[in-house]
Amino acid sequence: MSKGKLIIFSAPSGSGKTTIVRHLLKVLPEKLEFSISATSRPKRGVEENGKDYYYLSLEDFKYKIENSEFLEWEEVYANTFYGTLKKEVERIWDKGKSVIFDIDVEGGLNLKEQFKDRALAIFVMPPSIKILEERLIMRNTESVESIARRITKAEKELKTASLFDRFILNEELPVALSEAEKIVKDFLKK
Ligand code: 5GP
């Protein structure tokens, strides 16, 4: 694959990493482009195909795994697959931009391992599991079961924070946003 940089944001669902990633895309539009993941889960709320995710059938997703079309993929929840397509990353590098990811912890660490110093892996830390749960409830997009599943996963993910290059505590959003901006700008200068 051609050369380019990767900026990886990973965190438990509800930590605010999506908000941080959106902010960075807004302030650095000429430098960064979002890696649109593929998923086999159904569309949620106002999401759009080709903007939030590429929504694939389970069958098509599995076919693409067999065909080695993914840089990384994972069964994040039972029968719900998520992954990064090689051609998505190529598409962004070909424009001379760095790729920014909003993916789960395992996927993030997987990419870091593959791309080493070309990748900056940032973990977004929620203030506490309790606050994480409250945020997921407030978001009002998840069923009770889905929230419980996400919390169980979050408890495991928090233990991996030390494996990342950096972590950002998302307690006060404006503080987290400016910290993220600084870390990413420094990395892009290198
Ligand atoms: P959601 O269903 O809330 O959009 O995402 C569920 C989880 O899957 C989140 O933690 C999200 O970061 C993760 N995810 C999204 N895209 C990818 C991807 O391409 N690869 C991996 N490994 N995880 C992803």
Side-chain angles (χ1 to χ4, degrees):
M1 288 179 86
S2 57
K3 300 274 174 206
K5 284 183 179 172
L6 304 88
I7 294 160
I8 303 154
F9 276 86
S10 292
S13 180
S15 302
K17 70 178 184 304
T18 305
T19 310
I20 295 176
V21 168
R22 288 206 183 118
H23 170 79
L24 291 169
L25 285 162
K26 212 156 121 193
V27 293
L28 295 166
E30 70 295 344
K31 296 243 159 63
L32 300 178
E33 192 161 325
F34 182 62
S35 164
I36 302 165
S37 297
T39 182
S40 69
R41 82 148 162 77
K43 242 188 276 178
R44 189 165 71 195
V46 296
E47 290 178 350
E48 283 174 42
N49 186 37
K51 182 165 166 262
D52 300 282
Y53 285 105
Y54 299 114
Y55 299 92
L56 307 179
S57 65
L58 192 55
E59 195 187 17
D60 193 16
F61 202 107
K62 287 182 173 167
Y63 170 79
K64 285 182 163 50
I65 293 174
E66 290 301 310
N67 212 25
S68 302
E69 293 184 36
F70 285 102
L71 212 46
E72 62 81 33
W73 63 270
E74 222 186 309
E75 188 172 5
V76 175
Y77 308 108
N79 255 325
T80 310
F81 290 77
Y82 294 81
T84 306
L85 290 160
K86 289 178 184 166
K87 74 167 194 290
E88 174 66 3
V89 171
E90 289 285 7
R91 177 182 76 79
I92 296 169
W93 281 345
D94 284 349
K95 292 182 175 174
K97 292 184 175 185
S98 297
V99 188
I100 185 164
F101 295 84
D102 174 351
I103 72 177
D104 90 328
V105 166
E106 258 186 79
L109 290 173
N110 183 337
L111 289 174
K112 174 68 193 175
E113 210 174 292
Q114 291 184 55
F115 293 96
K116 309 264 186 308
D117 287 350
R118 278 165 57 201
L120 174 70
I122 303 168
F123 187 93
V124 182
M125 183 85 83
S128 69
I129 288 283
K130 176 109 191 49
I131 290 176
L132 195 68
E133 191 172 11
E134 282 165 17
R135 286 181 186 166
L136 286 172
I137 293 168
M138 295 273 289
R139 193 159 89 181
N140 210 12
T141 54
E142 258 30 77
S143 64
V144 174
E145 295 76 29
S146 167
I147 290 176
R149 211 163 53 216
R150 281 162 196 260
I151 291 297
T152 306
K153 186 166 180 287
E155 283 167 338
K156 286 194 201 120
E157 289 173 335
L158 287 181
K159 299 193 179 114
T160 67
S162 62
L163 301 172
F164 284 75
D165 296 315
R166 306 291 298 259
F167 81 85
I168 294 175
L169 175 70
N170 186 14
E171 187 159 24
E172 303 259 1
L173 185 62
V175 178
L177 294 180
S178 68
E179 199 182 341
E181 217 176 301
K182 180 170 184 322
I183 293 172
V184 169
K185 280 180 179 163
D186 284 350
F187 175 72
L188 292 177
K189 264 189 235 150
K190 282 185 199 158

